[in-house]
Amino acid sequence: MSLKHSIKIASGGLKTNKTRSSLTILGIVIGVTAIIMVVSLGQGAENLILGQIQGIGAKTIGIVPGRTPKGPTDVIATLSASLKQRDLDLLSRKENLPHQDGIMPIVFGNETASYEGETYALNIFGGTEMMAEIYDAFPSEGRNLNEDDVRGYADVVILGAKAAKELSPNQSLLGERIKIKGRNFLVIGLLPEKGGSSLFNFDEIAMLPYTTAQSYIFGIKHFNRIVVRADNEANIDKTVEDIKTTLRDAHNITDPSKDDFGIETQADALETVGTILNTLTLFLALVAAISLVVGGIGIMNIMLVSVTERTREIGLRKALGATKKNILTQFLLEATILTGIGGLIGIALGSLLSFLIAFIISTFYGMAWSFTFPWSAAFLGIAVSATVGLIFGIYPAKKAAAKSPIEALRYE
Amino acid sequence: MALMAVKNLEKTYHDEQVATNVLKKVSFEIPEGQFVAIMGPSGSGKSTLLHILGFLDKPTGGEYIFDGKNLEDYNEEEVAHVRNKKLGFIFQSFNLLPRTTVLENVKLPLTYSGVKEELWDEMAKEAIESVGLAHRLDFEPSQLSGGEKQRVAIARALVNKPQVIFADEPTGNLDSKSGELVMDIIQKLNRDRGHTIILITHETYTAEYAERIIRLRDGVIESDEKVKERRTGKAFLK
């Protein structure tokens, strides 16, 4: 008997029990919908975050103080004052870092600012004029930091949109003086509103010269981070090695495992975030897959009822010349078609919901969230649901095929 | 040589404690083209005998030779093939697939036959026409009368042009008029088309359409004789 005809017989059997068939596949539909949504939303989140990391610039290398942590609880490793002005000077030299194209130290911390009675807790970033470039945070009003500000320990500040609004709800702060730690700072620039879409909330920051921040606000001599920009993406690895050599020389380190600094590249960050998100997506998809198993058991249950109910039909088919294999194929196909249809509906439903969520996030929250159709998950969904049908259909189908024709015909 | 021959056929059902001998050393032969009625009261073993002759059940003793080959020597595939190609069944309760049209019901044996799909419609229609139901092709069983249902079942039994047609109490669920029509058709199939017919009934009236009556009682043959005054139906078959 041709496969085409087997499918015809099987789908005929399903059509005569439409309500039951559709209730049966509900479990599969929900399972596949969940998988599609988890994978699609996971991909959306990954694209969003990776896009932002790449926005920071693939050519930048971050140097952090302290040794590389040995584990998640090894906090002390990162609390270190090992990066100092001397390191910055050494790294700035072309003979040490030939492929360097800009270098900037960063200090950061929290401090309260006040203006005419309003106060606001700022995220303070001390850096140089390079900060605007690296984090794509150019003032929309006023000016950026410059070399003179840094060299002269200038009391100047650039405020994020929200910080400015909180300190002075009604009038622009540009050209005004705000107080931070008892000192007056001239607001020389205002950042445009960036929204909550970023990894750092730029709306709540204050950027000032690192020299000023070190001396007058934090009272420290070290840096929290040094950012080095390579002249070319191809020279990143080379530059990383140059940095290591320079700093080890400066810190008298011979054993690389005793490094008192760590190096982060964007490639590392991309990889880390990608790994975390993929693991999370996989985990959630597995949870969703459990509902597929539950759905499969539902299918088996209904197929068993169906086999008992159609004992006469099975007997008749056998009396008319159906082989065991014919009956087995018929019932297996019924189960597989059921779950296959369930899988298709689940893919459609899951895609639709993911699309709606992506649409809502991008429209109402202003994030660069895009809908991606998860092809891999769709193929997986179809394959898994059809397999579930096969596996959970085997037992009922075998039971059907094993029925003796006279027993079956006698059955009332 | 006879088309069907049974020799010392036995069938014993084993319950937990008791063994029931339904058939006790039954022997007879049926030549090709004969119309035989098997009669007997309920419990006489006539249905069991029909099931064995129709390849639906297996004996526990003795031999059954069909078409020159012992039943024991047919493997599973061959059994299904014989049921499909060489035997046709008509049941007391019709056994049509519900919610399935007359045409599709009659095509059912063809789906297992290896006959090319393009020919199915034509063959099924021809069979349906021969039982006078050409105007009911697209009806479903629930829309048919009892007599019409049984005629659909007959069409289904003969669509593969089998050598033997088994009829198990074909008139049992019918009023006498529909029953007569069904018996007319069955007799015609034997006379005009040469199908061997094995009819099971407990009514003498119905059995007299056959040319030979085998009477069973308690699992043994009580009598086996020719019908002296055979009942003949009106010519119906086209």
Coordinates of all heavy atoms in Angstrom, one line a residue, chain B residues 173-213:
Chain B
N173 N -30.2 -9.6 10.3 CA -30.6 -8.3 10.8 C -31.6 -7.6 9.8 O -31.8 -6.4 9.9 CB -29.4 -7.4 11.0 CG -28.7 -7.7 12.3 OD1 -29.1 -8.6 13.1 ND2 -27.6 -7.0 12.6
L174 N -32.1 -8.4 8.9 CA -33.0 -7.8 7.9 C -34.4 -8.3 8.0 O -34.7 -9.4 8.4 CB -32.4 -8.1 6.5 CG -31.0 -7.7 6.2 CD1 -30.6 -8.2 4.8 CD2 -30.8 -6.2 6.4
D175 N -35.3 -7.5 7.5 CA -36.7 -7.9 7.3 C -36.8 -8.9 6.2 O -35.8 -9.0 5.4 CB -37.6 -6.7 7.1 CG -37.2 -6.0 5.8 OD1 -37.6 -6.4 4.7 OD2 -36.5 -4.9 5.9
S176 N -37.9 -9.7 6.1 CA -37.9 -10.8 5.2 C -37.7 -10.3 3.7 O -37.1 -11.0 2.9 CB -39.2 -11.6 5.3 OG -40.3 -10.8 5.1
K177 N -38.3 -9.2 3.4 CA -38.2 -8.7 2.0 C -36.8 -8.4 1.6 O -36.3 -8.8 0.5 CB -39.1 -7.5 1.8 CG -39.7 -7.5 0.4 CD -40.7 -6.4 0.2 CE -40.8 -5.9 -1.2 NZ -40.9 -4.5 -1.4
S178 N -36.1 -7.6 2.4 CA -34.7 -7.2 2.2 C -33.9 -8.5 2.2 O -32.9 -8.6 1.4 CB -34.2 -6.3 3.2 OG -35.0 -5.2 3.4
G179 N -34.2 -9.4 3.1 CA -33.5 -10.7 3.2 C -33.5 -11.5 1.9 O -32.5 -12.0 1.4
E180 N -34.7 -11.5 1.4 CA -34.9 -12.3 0.1 C -34.1 -11.7 -1.0 O -33.4 -12.4 -1.8 CB -36.4 -12.3 -0.3 CG -37.1 -13.5 0.3 CD -38.6 -13.4 0.0 OE1 -38.9 -13.2 -1.2 OE2 -39.4 -13.6 0.9
L181 N -34.1 -10.3 -1.1 CA -33.3 -9.7 -2.1 C -31.8 -10.0 -2.0 O -31.1 -10.3 -2.9 CB -33.6 -8.1 -2.0 CG -32.9 -7.2 -3.0 CD1 -33.2 -7.7 -4.5 CD2 -33.4 -5.8 -2.9
V182 N -31.3 -9.9 -0.7 CA -29.9 -10.2 -0.5 C -29.6 -11.6 -0.9 O -28.6 -11.9 -1.5 CB -29.6 -9.9 1.0 CG1 -28.3 -10.6 1.4 CG2 -29.5 -8.4 1.3
M183 N -30.5 -12.6 -0.6 CA -30.2 -14.0 -0.9 C -30.3 -14.2 -2.4 O -29.5 -14.9 -3.0 CB -31.2 -14.9 -0.2 CG -31.0 -15.1 1.3 SD -29.3 -15.4 1.7 CE -28.9 -16.8 0.8
D184 N -31.2 -13.4 -3.1 CA -31.2 -13.5 -4.6 C -29.9 -13.1 -5.1 O -29.3 -13.8 -6.0 CB -32.3 -12.5 -5.1 CG -33.7 -12.9 -4.9 OD1 -33.8 -14.1 -4.4 OD2 -34.6 -12.2 -5.3
I185 N -29.3 -12.0 -4.6 CA -28.1 -11.5 -5.1 C -27.0 -12.6 -4.9 O -26.2 -12.9 -5.8 CB -27.7 -10.2 -4.5 CG1 -28.7 -9.1 -4.9 CG2 -26.3 -9.8 -4.9 CD1 -28.5 -7.8 -4.1
I186 N -26.9 -13.1 -3.7 CA -25.9 -14.1 -3.3 C -26.0 -15.3 -4.3 O -25.0 -15.8 -4.8 CB -26.0 -14.5 -1.8 CG1 -25.6 -13.3 -1.0 CG2 -25.1 -15.7 -1.5 CD1 -25.8 -13.5 0.5
Q187 N -27.2 -15.8 -4.5 CA -27.4 -16.9 -5.4 C -26.9 -16.6 -6.8 O -26.3 -17.5 -7.4 CB -28.9 -17.3 -5.4 CG -29.1 -18.7 -5.9 CD -30.6 -19.1 -5.9 OE1 -31.4 -18.3 -6.4 NE2 -30.9 -20.3 -5.3
K188 N -27.2 -15.4 -7.2 CA -26.8 -15.0 -8.6 C -25.3 -15.0 -8.7 O -24.8 -15.4 -9.7 CB -27.4 -13.6 -8.9 CG -28.7 -13.6 -9.5 CD -28.7 -13.9 -10.9 CE -30.1 -14.0 -11.6 NZ -30.0 -14.5 -12.9
L189 N -24.7 -14.5 -7.6 CA -23.2 -14.5 -7.7 C -22.6 -15.8 -7.9 O -21.7 -16.0 -8.6 CB -22.7 -13.9 -6.3 CG -22.9 -12.4 -6.1 CD1 -22.4 -12.1 -4.7 CD2 -22.1 -11.6 -7.1
N190 N -23.3 -16.8 -7.3 CA -22.8 -18.2 -7.5 C -23.1 -18.7 -8.8 O -22.3 -19.3 -9.5 CB -23.5 -19.1 -6.4 CG -23.3 -20.6 -6.6 OD1 -24.2 -21.3 -7.0 ND2 -22.1 -21.0 -6.5
R191 N -24.3 -18.5 -9.3 CA -24.8 -19.1 -10.5 C -24.1 -18.4 -11.7 O -23.6 -19.1 -12.6 CB -26.3 -19.1 -10.6 CG -26.8 -19.8 -11.9 CD -28.3 -19.6 -12.0 NE -29.1 -20.1 -10.9 CZ -30.3 -19.7 -10.6 NH1 -30.9 -18.7 -11.2 NH2 -30.9 -20.2 -9.5
D192 N -24.2 -17.1 -11.7 CA -23.7 -16.4 -13.0 C -22.2 -16.0 -13.0 O -21.6 -15.9 -14.0 CB -24.5 -15.0 -13.1 CG -26.0 -15.3 -13.3 OD1 -26.4 -16.5 -13.4 OD2 -26.8 -14.3 -13.2
R193 N -21.6 -16.0 -11.8 CA -20.2 -15.6 -11.8 C -19.3 -16.6 -11.3 O -18.1 -16.4 -11.2 CB -20.0 -14.3 -11.0 CG -20.9 -13.1 -11.5 CD -20.4 -11.8 -10.9 NE -21.2 -10.7 -11.4 CZ -20.9 -9.5 -11.2 NH1 -19.9 -9.2 -10.4 NH2 -21.7 -8.5 -11.7
G194 N -19.9 -17.7 -10.8 CA -19.1 -18.9 -10.4 C -18.4 -18.7 -9.1 O -17.5 -19.5 -8.8
H195 N -18.8 -17.7 -8.2 CA -18.2 -17.6 -6.9 C -18.6 -18.8 -6.1 O -19.8 -19.2 -6.1 CB -18.7 -16.4 -6.2 CG -18.2 -15.1 -6.8 ND1 -16.9 -14.7 -6.7 CD2 -18.8 -14.2 -7.5 CE1 -16.8 -13.5 -7.3 NE2 -18.0 -13.2 -7.9
T196 N -17.7 -19.4 -5.3 CA -18.1 -20.4 -4.4 C -18.7 -19.7 -3.2 O -18.1 -18.7 -2.8 CB -16.8 -21.2 -3.9 OG1 -16.1 -21.7 -5.1 CG2 -17.1 -22.3 -3.0
I197 N -19.8 -20.2 -2.7 CA -20.5 -19.5 -1.5 C -20.6 -20.4 -0.3 O -21.0 -21.5 -0.5 CB -21.9 -19.0 -1.9 CG1 -21.9 -18.3 -3.3 CG2 -22.5 -18.2 -0.8 CD1 -21.7 -16.8 -3.3
I198 N -20.1 -19.9 0.8 CA -20.3 -20.6 2.1 C -21.3 -19.8 2.9 O -20.9 -18.6 3.3 CB -19.0 -20.8 2.9 CG1 -17.9 -21.2 2.0 CG2 -19.3 -21.8 4.1 CD1 -17.8 -22.7 1.7
L199 N -22.5 -20.2 3.1 CA -23.5 -19.5 3.8 C -23.7 -20.1 5.2 O -23.9 -21.3 5.3 CB -24.8 -19.5 3.0 CG -26.1 -19.0 3.7 CD1 -26.1 -17.5 3.8 CD2 -27.3 -19.5 2.9
I200 N -23.7 -19.2 6.2 CA -24.1 -19.7 7.5 C -25.4 -19.2 7.9 O -25.7 -18.0 7.7 CB -23.1 -19.2 8.6 CG1 -21.7 -19.8 8.3 CG2 -23.5 -19.4 10.0 CD1 -21.2 -20.6 9.4
T201 N -26.3 -20.1 8.3 CA -27.7 -19.6 8.7 C -28.3 -20.6 9.7 O -27.8 -21.8 9.8 CB -28.6 -19.4 7.5 OG1 -29.8 -18.9 7.9 CG2 -28.7 -20.7 6.7
H202 N -29.3 -20.2 10.4 CA -30.0 -21.2 11.2 C -31.4 -21.3 10.7 O -32.2 -22.0 11.3 CB -30.0 -20.8 12.7 CG -30.6 -19.4 13.0 ND1 -29.9 -18.3 12.9 CD2 -31.8 -19.1 13.3 CE1 -30.7 -17.3 13.2 NE2 -31.9 -17.7 13.5
E203 N -31.7 -20.6 9.6 CA -33.1 -20.7 9.0 C -33.1 -21.6 7.8 O -32.3 -21.4 6.9 CB -33.5 -19.3 8.5 CG -33.6 -18.2 9.6 CD -33.6 -16.8 9.0 OE1 -33.3 -16.7 7.8 OE2 -34.0 -15.9 9.7
T204 N -33.9 -22.6 7.8 CA -34.0 -23.5 6.7 C -34.4 -22.8 5.4 O -33.9 -23.1 4.4 CB -35.1 -24.6 7.0 OG1 -34.9 -25.0 8.4 CG2 -35.0 -25.8 6.1
Y205 N -35.3 -21.8 5.6 CA -35.8 -21.1 4.4 C -34.6 -20.5 3.7 O -34.5 -20.6 2.5 CB -36.7 -20.0 4.9 CG -37.3 -19.1 3.8 CD1 -38.5 -19.5 3.2 CD2 -36.7 -17.9 3.5 CE1 -39.0 -18.7 2.2 CE2 -37.3 -17.1 2.5 CZ -38.4 -17.5 1.8 OH -39.0 -16.8 0.8
T206 N -33.7 -19.8 4.4 CA -32.6 -19.2 3.8 C -31.6 -20.2 3.2 O -31.0 -20.1 2.2 CB -31.8 -18.3 4.8 OG1 -32.8 -17.4 5.4 CG2 -30.7 -17.5 4.2
A207 N -31.4 -21.3 4.0 CA -30.4 -22.3 3.6 C -30.8 -23.0 2.3 O -30.0 -23.4 1.5 CB -30.3 -23.4 4.7
E208 N -32.1 -23.0 2.0 CA -32.6 -23.7 0.8 C -32.2 -22.9 -0.5 O -32.5 -23.4 -1.6 CB -34.1 -24.0 0.9 CG -34.3 -25.2 1.8 CD -35.8 -25.4 2.1 OE1 -36.6 -24.5 1.7 OE2 -36.1 -26.4 2.7
Y209 N -31.6 -21.7 -0.4 CA -31.1 -21.1 -1.6 C -29.8 -21.8 -2.1 O -29.4 -21.7 -3.2 CB -30.7 -19.6 -1.3 CG -31.9 -18.6 -1.3 CD1 -32.6 -18.4 -0.2 CD2 -32.2 -18.0 -2.5 CE1 -33.7 -17.5 -0.2 CE2 -33.2 -17.1 -2.5 CZ -34.0 -16.8 -1.4 OH -35.0 -16.0 -1.4
A210 N -29.2 -22.6 -1.2 CA -28.0 -23.3 -1.5 C -28.3 -24.6 -2.2 O -29.4 -25.0 -2.2 CB -27.2 -23.5 -0.2
E211 N -27.2 -25.2 -2.7 CA -27.4 -26.5 -3.4 C -27.1 -27.6 -2.4 O -27.4 -28.8 -2.7 CB -26.6 -26.6 -4.7 CG -25.1 -26.4 -4.4 CD -24.3 -26.2 -5.8 OE1 -24.1 -27.2 -6.4 OE2 -24.0 -25.1 -6.1
R212 N -26.4 -27.3 -1.3 CA -26.0 -28.4 -0.4 C -26.1 -27.8 1.0 O -25.7 -26.6 1.2 CB -24.6 -28.8 -0.7 CG -23.9 -29.7 0.2 CD -22.5 -29.9 -0.2 NE -21.7 -30.6 0.8 CZ -20.4 -30.7 0.8 NH1 -19.7 -30.1 -0.2 NH2 -19.7 -31.4 1.7
I213 N -26.6 -28.6 1.9 CA -26.7 -28.1 3.3 C -25.9 -29.1 4.2 O -26.1 -30.3 4.2 CB -28.1 -28.1 3.8 CG1 -28.9 -27.1 3.0 CG2 -28.2 -27.7 5.3 CD1 -30.4 -27.0 3.3

